[in-house]
Amino acid sequence: MMMYKTGITVGVFDLFHVGHLNLLESCKAMCDYLIVAVCCDDYVTKIKHKQPVYNEQDRIRLLSALKVVDKVVPVTIEEIENKLLLLKKHPFDCLFSGDDWKGSPRYQKTEEQFAKLGVSIEYLPYTKGISTTQIKNKLLGQKKTEEV
Ligand code: CTP
């Protein structure tokens, strides 16, 4: 397994769940220092067109309390969409992502940009059967059943 000095991973991490934990544990197993870049509330509402359940300060606090996480930083829409800006602000030698992003136009472009700079991208297995969206839907389903 490749070992990196500083790794970073980017995400919303709303309603923190075991899929998130699996990802972060896998990242930490591959780097000495793990930075988690947390998407700002504006990104969730304006770009993902969703309403975060936990605001960015709370998402940051929850992630900061994890022993596999060394540093948590908030990221802007611009930094999420252009990972070169992220690299400039928080230098790292590997960007980790769940493999649900592999092949997406944004990550393909980032792979090309990073290759020139000697920065790696590692895709880690996405945990099947759980996501923030699934949790929200499950809770909505339960609420409807309770109302009947
Ligand atoms: N992730 C994962 N396995 C899951 C859910 C998320 O590996 N079951 C990873 C994603 O690939 C990403 C990071 O966790 O690298 C943050 O994902 P995020 O979008 O915050 O989580 P989701 O639960 O997928 O949220 P949503 O349902 O809103 O898309």
PDB file of all heavy atoms in Angstrom, residues 2-9 27 30-31 33-35 86-87 90-97 114 118-124:
ATOM      1  N   MET A   2       0.534   2.190  -0.837  1.00  0.00           N
ATOM      2  CA  MET A   2       1.286   3.451  -0.943  1.00  0.00           C
ATOM      3  C   MET A   2       1.076   4.281   0.335  1.00  0.00           C
ATOM      4  O   MET A   2      -0.026   4.362   0.842  1.00  0.00           O
ATOM      5  CB  MET A   2       0.744   4.194  -2.170  1.00  0.00           C
ATOM      6  CG  MET A   2       1.454   5.444  -2.507  1.00  0.00           C
ATOM      7  SD  MET A   2       3.023   5.112  -3.294  1.00  0.00           S
ATOM      8  CE  MET A   2       3.590   6.770  -3.550  1.00  0.00           C
ATOM      9  N   MET A   3       2.150   4.872   0.842  1.00  0.00           N
ATOM     10  CA  MET A   3       2.034   5.706   2.040  1.00  0.00           C
ATOM     11  C   MET A   3       2.329   7.157   1.667  1.00  0.00           C
ATOM     12  O   MET A   3       3.328   7.429   1.013  1.00  0.00           O
ATOM     13  CB  MET A   3       3.064   5.218   3.048  1.00  0.00           C
ATOM     14  CG  MET A   3       2.634   4.898   4.461  1.00  0.00           C
ATOM     15  SD  MET A   3       0.942   4.958   4.911  1.00  0.00           S
ATOM     16  CE  MET A   3       1.089   5.873   6.428  1.00  0.00           C
ATOM     17  N   TYR A   4       1.459   8.058   2.074  1.00  0.00           N
ATOM     18  CA  TYR A   4       1.653   9.472   1.769  1.00  0.00           C
ATOM     19  C   TYR A   4       1.938  10.236   3.057  1.00  0.00           C
ATOM     20  O   TYR A   4       1.591   9.782   4.144  1.00  0.00           O
ATOM     21  CB  TYR A   4       0.398  10.028   1.094  1.00  0.00           C
ATOM     22  CG  TYR A   4       0.108   9.353  -0.225  1.00  0.00           C
ATOM     23  CD1 TYR A   4      -0.774   8.276  -0.291  1.00  0.00           C
ATOM     24  CD2 TYR A   4       0.746   9.763  -1.393  1.00  0.00           C
ATOM     25  CE1 TYR A   4      -1.038   7.639  -1.504  1.00  0.00           C
ATOM     26  CE2 TYR A   4       0.507   9.124  -2.600  1.00  0.00           C
ATOM     27  CZ  TYR A   4      -0.387   8.072  -2.650  1.00  0.00           C
ATOM     28  OH  TYR A   4      -0.630   7.439  -3.846  1.00  0.00           O
ATOM     29  N   LYS A   5       2.540  11.424   2.875  1.00  0.00           N
ATOM     30  CA  LYS A   5       2.853  12.259   4.037  1.00  0.00           C
ATOM     31  C   LYS A   5       1.571  12.972   4.496  1.00  0.00           C
ATOM     32  O   LYS A   5       1.086  12.760   5.584  1.00  0.00           O
ATOM     33  CB  LYS A   5       3.921  13.280   3.632  1.00  0.00           C
ATOM     34  CG  LYS A   5       4.834  13.706   4.732  1.00  0.00           C
ATOM     35  CD  LYS A   5       6.036  14.430   4.100  1.00  0.00           C
ATOM     36  CE  LYS A   5       7.015  14.961   5.094  1.00  0.00           C
ATOM     37  NZ  LYS A   5       6.618  15.740   6.175  1.00  0.00           N
ATOM     38  N   THR A   6       1.038  13.795   3.593  1.00  0.00           N
ATOM     39  CA  THR A   6      -0.185  14.527   3.921  1.00  0.00           C
ATOM     40  C   THR A   6      -1.275  14.168   2.918  1.00  0.00           C
ATOM     41  O   THR A   6      -1.093  14.338   1.711  1.00  0.00           O
ATOM     42  CB  THR A   6       0.075  16.054   3.881  1.00  0.00           C
ATOM     43  OG1 THR A   6       1.147  16.348   4.768  1.00  0.00           O
ATOM     44  CG2 THR A   6      -1.161  16.840   4.305  1.00  0.00           C
ATOM     45  N   GLY A   7      -2.397  13.685   3.435  1.00  0.00           N
ATOM     46  CA  GLY A   7      -3.537  13.363   2.584  1.00  0.00           C
ATOM     47  C   GLY A   7      -4.698  14.292   2.912  1.00  0.00           C
ATOM     48  O   GLY A   7      -4.772  14.837   4.027  1.00  0.00           O
ATOM     49  N   ILE A   8      -5.549  14.491   1.922  1.00  0.00           N
ATOM     50  CA  ILE A   8      -6.742  15.330   2.143  1.00  0.00           C
ATOM     51  C   ILE A   8      -7.946  14.628   1.530  1.00  0.00           C
ATOM     52  O   ILE A   8      -7.799  13.892   0.545  1.00  0.00           O
ATOM     53  CB  ILE A   8      -6.537  16.745   1.538  1.00  0.00           C
ATOM     54  CG1 ILE A   8      -7.548  17.750   2.107  1.00  0.00           C
ATOM     55  CG2 ILE A   8      -6.629  16.714   0.012  1.00  0.00           C
ATOM     56  CD1 ILE A   8      -7.175  19.221   1.845  1.00  0.00           C
ATOM     57  N   THR A   9      -9.095  14.816   2.138  1.00  0.00           N
ATOM     58  CA  THR A   9     -10.320  14.327   1.513  1.00  0.00           C
ATOM     59  C   THR A   9     -11.390  15.387   1.675  1.00  0.00           C
ATOM     60  O   THR A   9     -11.388  16.130   2.663  1.00  0.00           O
ATOM     61  CB  THR A   9     -10.743  12.948   2.082  1.00  0.00           C
ATOM     62  OG1 THR A   9     -11.774  12.418   1.274  1.00  0.00           O
ATOM     63  CG2 THR A   9     -11.219  13.029   3.531  1.00  0.00           C
ATOM     64  N   CYS A  27      -8.389   6.375   4.577  1.00  0.00           N
ATOM     65  CA  CYS A  27      -7.477   7.491   4.243  1.00  0.00           C
ATOM     66  C   CYS A  27      -6.323   7.516   5.228  1.00  0.00           C
ATOM     67  O   CYS A  27      -5.153   7.600   4.834  1.00  0.00           O
ATOM     68  CB  CYS A  27      -8.189   8.838   4.339  1.00  0.00           C
ATOM     69  SG  CYS A  27      -9.491   9.115   3.155  1.00  0.00           S
ATOM     70  N   MET A  30      -3.420   5.331   4.969  1.00  0.00           N
ATOM     71  CA  MET A  30      -2.519   5.576   3.836  1.00  0.00           C
ATOM     72  C   MET A  30      -1.745   6.886   3.922  1.00  0.00           C
ATOM     73  O   MET A  30      -1.043   7.257   2.980  1.00  0.00           O
ATOM     74  CB  MET A  30      -3.318   5.556   2.522  1.00  0.00           C
ATOM     75  CG  MET A  30      -3.860   4.179   2.190  1.00  0.00           C
ATOM     76  SD  MET A  30      -4.839   4.197   0.690  1.00  0.00           S
ATOM     77  CE  MET A  30      -3.595   4.447  -0.545  1.00  0.00           C
ATOM     78  N   CYS A  31      -1.890   7.608   5.042  1.00  0.00           N
ATOM     79  CA  CYS A  31      -1.099   8.856   5.163  1.00  0.00           C
ATOM     80  C   CYS A  31      -0.757   9.127   6.626  1.00  0.00           C
ATOM     81  O   CYS A  31      -1.439   8.647   7.529  1.00  0.00           O
ATOM     82  CB  CYS A  31      -1.841  10.040   4.544  1.00  0.00           C
ATOM     83  SG  CYS A  31      -3.350  10.510   5.383  1.00  0.00           S
ATOM     84  N   TYR A  33      -0.645  12.261   7.928  1.00  0.00           N
ATOM     85  CA  TYR A  33      -1.397  13.418   8.416  1.00  0.00           C
ATOM     86  C   TYR A  33      -2.630  13.587   7.530  1.00  0.00           C
ATOM     87  O   TYR A  33      -2.506  13.780   6.320  1.00  0.00           O
ATOM     88  CB  TYR A  33      -0.490  14.660   8.337  1.00  0.00           C
ATOM     89  CG  TYR A  33      -1.018  15.867   9.052  1.00  0.00           C
ATOM     90  CD1 TYR A  33      -0.864  16.007  10.435  1.00  0.00           C
ATOM     91  CD2 TYR A  33      -1.670  16.891   8.351  1.00  0.00           C
ATOM     92  CE1 TYR A  33      -1.341  17.140  11.099  1.00  0.00           C
ATOM     93  CE2 TYR A  33      -2.143  18.018   9.019  1.00  0.00           C
ATOM     94  CZ  TYR A  33      -1.974  18.135  10.386  1.00  0.00           C
ATOM     95  OH  TYR A  33      -2.442  19.243  11.043  1.00  0.00           O
ATOM     96  N   LEU A  34      -3.799  13.471   8.134  1.00  0.00           N
ATOM     97  CA  LEU A  34      -5.037  13.537   7.338  1.00  0.00           C
ATOM     98  C   LEU A  34      -5.809  14.846   7.576  1.00  0.00           C
ATOM     99  O   LEU A  34      -6.191  15.161   8.700  1.00  0.00           O
ATOM    100  CB  LEU A  34      -5.956  12.348   7.663  1.00  0.00           C
ATOM    101  CG  LEU A  34      -7.306  12.342   6.935  1.00  0.00           C
ATOM    102  CD1 LEU A  34      -7.130  12.260   5.413  1.00  0.00           C
ATOM    103  CD2 LEU A  34      -8.198  11.205   7.429  1.00  0.00           C
ATOM    104  N   ILE A  35      -6.017  15.551   6.487  1.00  0.00           N
ATOM    105  CA  ILE A  35      -6.826  16.774   6.524  1.00  0.00           C
ATOM    106  C   ILE A  35      -8.203  16.457   5.941  1.00  0.00           C
ATOM    107  O   ILE A  35      -8.299  15.837   4.883  1.00  0.00           O
ATOM    108  CB  ILE A  35      -6.187  17.907   5.677  1.00  0.00           C
ATOM    109  CG1 ILE A  35      -4.746  18.175   6.113  1.00  0.00           C
ATOM    110  CG2 ILE A  35      -7.027  19.178   5.754  1.00  0.00           C
ATOM    111  CD1 ILE A  35      -3.995  19.170   5.207  1.00  0.00           C
ATOM    112  N   LEU A  86      -7.340  24.403  -3.680  1.00  0.00           N
ATOM    113  CA  LEU A  86      -7.269  23.653  -2.418  1.00  0.00           C
ATOM    114  C   LEU A  86      -5.811  23.270  -2.119  1.00  0.00           C
ATOM    115  O   LEU A  86      -5.330  23.427  -0.996  1.00  0.00           O
ATOM    116  CB  LEU A  86      -8.135  22.393  -2.552  1.00  0.00           C
ATOM    117  CG  LEU A  86      -8.352  21.557  -1.302  1.00  0.00           C
ATOM    118  CD1 LEU A  86      -9.237  22.310  -0.311  1.00  0.00           C
ATOM    119  CD2 LEU A  86      -9.023  20.228  -1.659  1.00  0.00           C
ATOM    120  N   LEU A  87      -5.125  22.807  -3.159  1.00  0.00           N
ATOM    121  CA  LEU A  87      -3.728  22.375  -3.041  1.00  0.00           C
ATOM    122  C   LEU A  87      -2.823  23.530  -2.604  1.00  0.00           C
ATOM    123  O   LEU A  87      -1.920  23.363  -1.795  1.00  0.00           O
ATOM    124  CB  LEU A  87      -3.261  21.804  -4.385  1.00  0.00           C
ATOM    125  CG  LEU A  87      -1.834  21.295  -4.484  1.00  0.00           C
ATOM    126  CD1 LEU A  87      -1.632  20.074  -3.601  1.00  0.00           C
ATOM    127  CD2 LEU A  87      -1.478  20.948  -5.927  1.00  0.00           C
ATOM    128  N   HIS A  90      -3.836  24.351   1.196  1.00  0.00           N
ATOM    129  CA  HIS A  90      -3.520  23.289   2.174  1.00  0.00           C
ATOM    130  C   HIS A  90      -2.673  22.233   1.463  1.00  0.00           C
ATOM    131  O   HIS A  90      -3.206  21.209   1.037  1.00  0.00           O
ATOM    132  CB  HIS A  90      -4.801  22.627   2.694  1.00  0.00           C
ATOM    133  CG  HIS A  90      -5.823  23.592   3.189  1.00  0.00           C
ATOM    134  ND1 HIS A  90      -5.701  24.244   4.388  1.00  0.00           N
ATOM    135  CD2 HIS A  90      -6.978  24.034   2.635  1.00  0.00           C
ATOM    136  CE1 HIS A  90      -6.736  25.044   4.552  1.00  0.00           C
ATOM    137  NE2 HIS A  90      -7.527  24.935   3.512  1.00  0.00           N
ATOM    138  N   PRO A  91      -1.358  22.459   1.282  1.00  0.00           N
ATOM    139  CA  PRO A  91      -0.538  21.527   0.498  1.00  0.00           C
ATOM    140  C   PRO A  91      -0.656  20.068   0.969  1.00  0.00           C
ATOM    141  O   PRO A  91      -0.693  19.794   2.170  1.00  0.00           O
ATOM    142  CB  PRO A  91       0.890  22.043   0.715  1.00  0.00           C
ATOM    143  CG  PRO A  91       0.716  23.480   1.054  1.00  0.00           C
ATOM    144  CD  PRO A  91      -0.567  23.577   1.816  1.00  0.00           C
ATOM    145  N   PHE A  92      -0.781  19.162  -0.001  1.00  0.00           N
ATOM    146  CA  PHE A  92      -0.911  17.728   0.292  1.00  0.00           C
ATOM    147  C   PHE A  92      -0.267  16.951  -0.839  1.00  0.00           C
ATOM    148  O   PHE A  92      -0.029  17.500  -1.921  1.00  0.00           O
ATOM    149  CB  PHE A  92      -2.403  17.339   0.436  1.00  0.00           C
ATOM    150  CG  PHE A  92      -3.279  17.781  -0.699  1.00  0.00           C
ATOM    151  CD1 PHE A  92      -3.423  17.002  -1.851  1.00  0.00           C
ATOM    152  CD2 PHE A  92      -3.970  18.998  -0.639  1.00  0.00           C
ATOM    153  CE1 PHE A  92      -4.239  17.414  -2.900  1.00  0.00           C
ATOM    154  CE2 PHE A  92      -4.785  19.419  -1.697  1.00  0.00           C
ATOM    155  CZ  PHE A  92      -4.919  18.622  -2.823  1.00  0.00           C
ATOM    156  N   ASP A  93       0.055  15.673  -0.596  1.00  0.00           N
ATOM    157  CA  ASP A  93       0.594  14.873  -1.701  1.00  0.00           C
ATOM    158  C   ASP A  93      -0.381  13.824  -2.202  1.00  0.00           C
ATOM    159  O   ASP A  93      -0.089  13.126  -3.175  1.00  0.00           O
ATOM    160  CB  ASP A  93       1.993  14.297  -1.406  1.00  0.00           C
ATOM    161  CG  ASP A  93       2.101  13.614  -0.066  1.00  0.00           C
ATOM    162  OD1 ASP A  93       1.071  13.390   0.561  1.00  0.00           O
ATOM    163  OD2 ASP A  93       3.230  13.302   0.341  1.00  0.00           O
ATOM    164  N   CYS A  94      -1.538  13.719  -1.532  1.00  0.00           N
ATOM    165  CA  CYS A  94      -2.566  12.825  -2.077  1.00  0.00           C
ATOM    166  C   CYS A  94      -3.965  13.329  -1.742  1.00  0.00           C
ATOM    167  O   CYS A  94      -4.236  13.756  -0.615  1.00  0.00           O
ATOM    168  CB  CYS A  94      -2.383  11.408  -1.520  1.00  0.00           C
ATOM    169  SG  CYS A  94      -3.584  10.251  -2.213  1.00  0.00           S
ATOM    170  N   LEU A  95      -4.824  13.280  -2.731  1.00  0.00           N
ATOM    171  CA  LEU A  95      -6.249  13.579  -2.538  1.00  0.00           C
ATOM    172  C   LEU A  95      -6.987  12.245  -2.534  1.00  0.00           C
ATOM    173  O   LEU A  95      -6.857  11.457  -3.471  1.00  0.00           O
ATOM    174  CB  LEU A  95      -6.750  14.451  -3.698  1.00  0.00           C
ATOM    175  CG  LEU A  95      -8.262  14.661  -3.811  1.00  0.00           C
ATOM    176  CD1 LEU A  95      -8.793  15.497  -2.642  1.00  0.00           C
ATOM    177  CD2 LEU A  95      -8.600  15.392  -5.130  1.00  0.00           C
ATOM    178  N   PHE A  96      -7.723  11.988  -1.468  1.00  0.00           N
ATOM    179  CA  PHE A  96      -8.503  10.753  -1.376  1.00  0.00           C
ATOM    180  C   PHE A  96      -9.964  11.047  -1.663  1.00  0.00           C
ATOM    181  O   PHE A  96     -10.494  12.081  -1.260  1.00  0.00           O
ATOM    182  CB  PHE A  96      -8.435  10.178   0.047  1.00  0.00           C
ATOM    183  CG  PHE A  96      -7.070   9.731   0.466  1.00  0.00           C
ATOM    184  CD1 PHE A  96      -6.327  10.473   1.385  1.00  0.00           C
ATOM    185  CD2 PHE A  96      -6.525   8.557  -0.024  1.00  0.00           C
ATOM    186  CE1 PHE A  96      -5.069  10.054   1.788  1.00  0.00           C
ATOM    187  CE2 PHE A  96      -5.266   8.128   0.376  1.00  0.00           C
ATOM    188  CZ  PHE A  96      -4.539   8.880   1.282  1.00  0.00           C
ATOM    189  N   SER A  97     -10.606  10.071  -2.317  1.00  0.00           N
ATOM    190  CA  SER A  97     -12.038  10.237  -2.554  1.00  0.00           C
ATOM    191  C   SER A  97     -12.708   8.875  -2.597  1.00  0.00           C
ATOM    192  O   SER A  97     -12.078   7.870  -2.926  1.00  0.00           O
ATOM    193  CB  SER A  97     -12.239  10.954  -3.885  1.00  0.00           C
ATOM    194  OG  SER A  97     -13.623  11.064  -4.128  1.00  0.00           O
ATOM    195  N   PHE A 114      -3.159  17.351 -11.509  1.00  0.00           N
ATOM    196  CA  PHE A 114      -2.283  16.859 -10.444  1.00  0.00           C
ATOM    197  C   PHE A 114      -1.111  16.041 -10.996  1.00  0.00           C
ATOM    198  O   PHE A 114      -0.032  16.040 -10.421  1.00  0.00           O
ATOM    199  CB  PHE A 114      -3.077  16.010  -9.443  1.00  0.00           C
ATOM    200  CG  PHE A 114      -3.866  16.821  -8.438  1.00  0.00           C
ATOM    201  CD1 PHE A 114      -4.000  18.201  -8.570  1.00  0.00           C
ATOM    202  CD2 PHE A 114      -4.473  16.208  -7.347  1.00  0.00           C
ATOM    203  CE1 PHE A 114      -4.731  18.947  -7.657  1.00  0.00           C
ATOM    204  CE2 PHE A 114      -5.195  16.946  -6.422  1.00  0.00           C
ATOM    205  CZ  PHE A 114      -5.321  18.310  -6.576  1.00  0.00           C
ATOM    206  N   GLY A 118       2.817  16.030  -9.732  1.00  0.00           N
ATOM    207  CA  GLY A 118       3.264  14.887  -8.933  1.00  0.00           C
ATOM    208  C   GLY A 118       2.387  14.613  -7.715  1.00  0.00           C
ATOM    209  O   GLY A 118       2.823  13.995  -6.745  1.00  0.00           O
ATOM    210  N   VAL A 119       1.165  15.108  -7.756  1.00  0.00           N
ATOM    211  CA  VAL A 119       0.222  14.877  -6.652  1.00  0.00           C
ATOM    212  C   VAL A 119      -0.697  13.708  -7.042  1.00  0.00           C
ATOM    213  O   VAL A 119      -1.166  13.638  -8.178  1.00  0.00           O
ATOM    214  CB  VAL A 119      -0.609  16.161  -6.354  1.00  0.00           C
ATOM    215  CG1 VAL A 119      -1.657  15.905  -5.284  1.00  0.00           C
ATOM    216  CG2 VAL A 119       0.310  17.306  -5.942  1.00  0.00           C
ATOM    217  N   SER A 120      -0.924  12.802  -6.109  1.00  0.00           N
ATOM    218  CA  SER A 120      -1.725  11.605  -6.421  1.00  0.00           C
ATOM    219  C   SER A 120      -3.200  11.787  -6.072  1.00  0.00           C
ATOM    220  O   SER A 120      -3.554  12.612  -5.222  1.00  0.00           O
ATOM    221  CB  SER A 120      -1.224  10.415  -5.606  1.00  0.00           C
ATOM    222  OG  SER A 120       0.121  10.199  -5.870  1.00  0.00           O
ATOM    223  N   ILE A 121      -4.018  10.963  -6.715  1.00  0.00           N
ATOM    224  CA  ILE A 121      -5.434  10.833  -6.313  1.00  0.00           C
ATOM    225  C   ILE A 121      -5.656   9.352  -6.071  1.00  0.00           C
ATOM    226  O   ILE A 121      -5.292   8.516  -6.906  1.00  0.00           O
ATOM    227  CB  ILE A 121      -6.406  11.323  -7.394  1.00  0.00           C
ATOM    228  CG1 ILE A 121      -6.131  12.793  -7.723  1.00  0.00           C
ATOM    229  CG2 ILE A 121      -7.852  11.148  -6.935  1.00  0.00           C
ATOM    230  CD1 ILE A 121      -7.168  13.432  -8.635  1.00  0.00           C
ATOM    231  N   GLU A 122      -6.205   9.010  -4.918  1.00  0.00           N
ATOM    232  CA  GLU A 122      -6.525   7.612  -4.612  1.00  0.00           C
ATOM    233  C   GLU A 122      -8.031   7.517  -4.392  1.00  0.00           C
ATOM    234  O   GLU A 122      -8.601   8.289  -3.625  1.00  0.00           O
ATOM    235  CB  GLU A 122      -5.803   7.150  -3.331  1.00  0.00           C
ATOM    236  CG  GLU A 122      -4.294   7.159  -3.413  1.00  0.00           C
ATOM    237  CD  GLU A 122      -3.691   5.849  -3.959  1.00  0.00           C
ATOM    238  OE1 GLU A 122      -4.454   4.921  -4.305  1.00  0.00           O
ATOM    239  OE2 GLU A 122      -2.453   5.788  -4.025  1.00  0.00           O
ATOM    240  N   TYR A 123      -8.650   6.556  -5.084  1.00  0.00           N
ATOM    241  CA  TYR A 123     -10.091   6.324  -4.906  1.00  0.00           C
ATOM    242  C   TYR A 123     -10.265   5.142  -3.964  1.00  0.00           C
ATOM    243  O   TYR A 123      -9.675   4.078  -4.178  1.00  0.00           O
ATOM    244  CB  TYR A 123     -10.746   6.034  -6.259  1.00  0.00           C
ATOM    245  CG  TYR A 123     -10.634   7.202  -7.206  1.00  0.00           C
ATOM    246  CD1 TYR A 123      -9.626   7.247  -8.164  1.00  0.00           C
ATOM    247  CD2 TYR A 123     -11.520   8.274  -7.119  1.00  0.00           C
ATOM    248  CE1 TYR A 123      -9.509   8.332  -9.026  1.00  0.00           C
ATOM    249  CE2 TYR A 123     -11.410   9.362  -7.976  1.00  0.00           C
ATOM    250  CZ  TYR A 123     -10.403   9.378  -8.922  1.00  0.00           C
ATOM    251  OH  TYR A 123     -10.287  10.459  -9.771  1.00  0.00           O
ATOM    252  N   LEU A 124     -11.042   5.344  -2.941  1.00  0.00           N
ATOM    253  CA  LEU A 124     -11.240   4.304  -1.930  1.00  0.00           C
ATOM    254  C   LEU A 124     -12.664   3.762  -2.044  1.00  0.00           C
ATOM    255  O   LEU A 124     -13.569   4.481  -2.485  1.00  0.00           O
ATOM    256  CB  LEU A 124     -10.978   4.897  -0.544  1.00  0.00           C
ATOM    257  CG  LEU A 124      -9.545   5.440  -0.384  1.00  0.00           C
ATOM    258  CD1 LEU A 124      -9.405   6.258   0.883  1.00  0.00           C
ATOM    259  CD2 LEU A 124      -8.537   4.309  -0.392  1.00  0.00           C
TER     260      LEU A 124
END
